[in-house]
Amino acid sequence: MKVSVIGGGLGGLLAGAALSKDHDVHIYEQLEIYGGRFTNLPYKGFQLSTGAFHMIPHGPTGPLASLLRDVGANVDIVKTNPEATFMTKDLKQIPFRDFNELLSAASRSRIPALVMRTVTHKKGNVADMVWNDPEWLAIADSCCGWALSTTAQNTPASEAVAILTTTRKYGTPGVPMGGCKGVVDALADVIESNGGSVSLNSKVDSIMVEDGKAAGVVVGGERISSDIVISNIGHKLTSRLYDGKYLEPKYAGVINKVRPSAGIKIVLAAEEPLVGHPAAMFTPYTQRVNGINEVSHIDPSLAPEGMHLTMSHQTMRTPDVQKEIELGLQDLKNLFPGKKYSVLMVQSYRDDWPVNRISSGFDLGNLTPVRGLFVVGDGAKGKGGIEVEGIALGVRNFLDIFDK
Ligand code: FAD
């Protein structure tokens, strides 16, 4: 079967690699690099990234690691130790599991009830789930902000419950050696060694549809026929590439309603360890920053010798990007007084280059109104899958549909 893939991000590369053993796979990427929001940008000896924090939410035991192994992509993923920490109000770190130390006696007394709610509370949002208790909300906001780039208020309780279930099942985070690029390079190698191709500077201008079925893609004016088309660019952008007469009104209504999650990443060149370990350090007591990591403790090649790559993340709370960035920079000054570091890069992620194309809990699955046209990537994450783990679960769902 001939397969065209629109976009060489992680979703497109995963689906392409999985099919390339038995099918003729061709990936078309508009940029001069593949990897989308999951690859490296070399700068001043650091391996910055186009998006992700060089972190895989469930490490070597999660859905992404398992799919990488199944498709034959050789990636070394190292678990972080500790699994995560919290920074307290007086700037000390405590292990994630000791979160109760952050709480007053009154808020702590709600722990048994909250444990019950993390199993049964499937309606409303996470803020409701924690009774809008300000102490619990600070913790919930920093976790939702770091892991999903949303607030507790904007995270459905059902998705949080599903995420807790997958976390119990798959375990804690890890860092791929070589950073994000280590993962996407391994996938591109699999595709090419199976006879497939990844064409760069190749923007797909439209999707050919015949009798309601995908028939191929048009790239730079060239019509390329294929048996199926897989899109890695989300439902909404995909729908703009084919004739609007195929858009079912209900589907059109839904894809125009769902929203991406937006965020800001501030990257620091640290002359001394700031976090002191590779895991996520959650920061509940800031104005904006939700968490920070320093993955060069696991892979020193991500920073120049003797230095560290330190990255903070914050969800976008208001549309005033400049103001949000200023508040984030102020947080970092307050968190690391007297430490030696400089700001390497500030990136904001929204619109068509967001943190998540569809905010967690609102994903739309792989199917489209056009037969033989499927969506993969972070507009089609699997239930309970954080970030790239959701992408891997979504690609598994697609492969199940494809096999039937
Ligand atoms: P993309 O990476 O967006 O890939 C789509 C590709 O399609 C792009 O390369 C694009 O150029 C191409 N394209 C678009 N239109 C066309 C066209 N018409 N023709 C051809 N090509 C086209 N996840 C984690 O698991 N861990 C993290 O630490 C983490 N941190 C993050 C931090 C930030 C700041 C951000 C922004 C994201 C983070 N994520 C993280 C999320 C993760 O990076 C994304 O979910 C993931 O990379 C999205 O992959 P994708 O394949 O779905 O989409």
Side-chain angles (χ1 to χ4, degrees):
M1 202 180 262
K2 192 170 171 193
V3 179
S4 295
V5 183
I6 307 169
L10 182 67
L13 292 167
L14 275 171
L19 296 183
S20 63
K21 191 160 168 275
D22 298 319
H23 302 279
D24 184 17
V25 171
H26 300 279
I27 298 190
Y28 303 97
E29 166 56 50
Q30 65 178 1
L31 301 179
E32 60 189 11
I33 52 167
Y34 56 76
R37 286 167 282 152
F38 206 79
T39 189
N40 299 9
L41 294 169
Y43 181 67
K44 292 187 173 176
F46 290 86
Q47 294 296 325
L48 311 186
S49 97
T50 48
F53 282 72
H54 298 308
M55 206 161 217
I56 297 183
H58 301 303
T61 45
L64 177 61
S66 141
L67 189 53
L68 289 169
R69 277 192 296 275
D70 288 357
V71 304
N74 190 8
V75 184
D76 188 10
I77 303 170
V78 179
K79 244 188 196 320
T80 64
N81 184 13
E83 55 189 21
T85 62
F86 280 107
M87 187 168 249
T88 63
K89 282 182 186 155
D90 52 359
L91 305 187
K92 295 203 175 68
Q93 284 188 64
I94 59 166
F96 186 84
R97 281 162 196 266
D98 296 343
F99 65 89
N100 56 339
E101 290 178 17
L102 301 173
L103 301 167
S104 64
S107 294
R108 209 179 284 179
S109 70
R110 293 181 130 163
I111 291 176
L114 185 59
V115 170
M116 280 303 292
R117 285 188 152 206
T118 62
V119 181
T120 56
H121 193 89
K122 297 191 179 161
K123 288 202 181 112
N125 58 49
V126 172
D128 302 330
M129 192 160 136
V130 298
W131 308 275
N132 284 289
D133 173 331
E135 290 183 33
W136 278 106
L137 211 45
I139 295 174
D141 271 333
S142 70
C143 294
C144 292
W146 171 261
L148 311 175
S149 205
T150 59
T151 56
Q153 181 90 43
N154 289 330
T155 305
S158 60
E159 185 64 12
V161 169
I163 285 174
L164 287 169
T165 309
T166 47
T167 303
R168 280 184 211 109
K169 181 169 171 193
Y170 294 118
T172 51
V175 175
M177 297 306 280
C180 300
K181 192 168 189 296
V183 176
V184 292
D185 278 355
L187 288 166
D189 282 351
V190 169
I191 293 164
E192 279 164 8
S193 65
N194 285 336
S197 66
V198 182
S199 304
L200 303 177
N201 299 307
S202 300
K203 184 168 194 279
V204 173
D205 300 315
S206 60
I207 298 168
M208 300 187 296
V209 183
E210 287 165 13
D211 300 328
K213 184 179 179 312
V217 290
V218 179
V219 181
E222 189 189 347
R223 292 171 67 81
I224 302 163
S225 301
S226 60
D227 299 292
I228 68 161
V229 176
I230 300 171
S231 174
N232 183 203
I233 65 174
H235 286 267
K236 200 198 257 177
L237 290 181
T238 304
S239 74
R240 294 188 191 146
L241 296 184
Y242 56 84
D243 193 325
K245 74 179 181 196
Y246 296 110
L247 261 183
E248 289 166 2
K250 195 171 162 203
Y251 176 78
V254 174
I255 61 175
N256 286 321
K257 216 168 120 202
V258 285
R259 294 276 166 263
S261 59
I264 291 168
K265 178 168 76 179
I266 301 176
V267 184
L268 306 179
E271 290 174 45
E272 57 183 313
L274 302 181
V275 174
H277 57 74
M281 176 179 81
F282 293 97
T283 53
Y285 307 113
T286 54
Q287 302 174 89
R288 287 296 186 272
V289 167
N290 303 123
I292 307 176
N293 74 359
E294 206 164 66
V295 287
S296 44
H297 288 284
I298 281 186
D299 185 350
S301 77
L302 299 173
E305 204 179 332
M307 296 190 76
H308 283 287
L309 175 64
T310 310
M311 296 177 274
S312 76
H313 183 72
Q314 61 195 79
T315 184
M316 200 92 78
R317 289 249 182 189
T318 70
D320 186 343
V321 179
Q322 205 47 48
K323 183 85 193 148
E324 294 292 305
I325 290 172
E326 279 164 24
L327 290 169
L329 289 169
Q330 187 62 53
D331 281 340
L332 293 170
K333 272 193 192 148
N334 297 340
L335 289 168
F336 303 124
K339 296 278 185 183
K340 285 193 194 148
Y341 68 86
S342 57
V343 177
L344 266 182
M345 179 176 74
V346 180
Q347 293 168 315
S348 66
Y349 295 86
R350 57 209 154 111
D351 304 325
D352 289 340
W353 202 265
V355 180
N356 273 297
R357 216 175 276 285
I358 295 185
S359 194
S360 287
F362 298 93
D363 287 82
L364 298 178
N366 310 103
L367 298 177
T368 71
V370 175
R371 277 180 289 123
L373 171 63
F374 303 93
V375 173
V376 296
D378 71 356
K381 297 185 294 300
K383 185 90 187 142
I386 305 173
E387 313 267 5
V388 296
E389 304 292 11
I391 294 179
L393 290 173
V395 169
R396 284 272 191 210
N397 293 341
F398 157 71
L399 294 172
D400 287 347
I401 298 167
F402 180 84
D403 284 342
K404 278 179 194 153

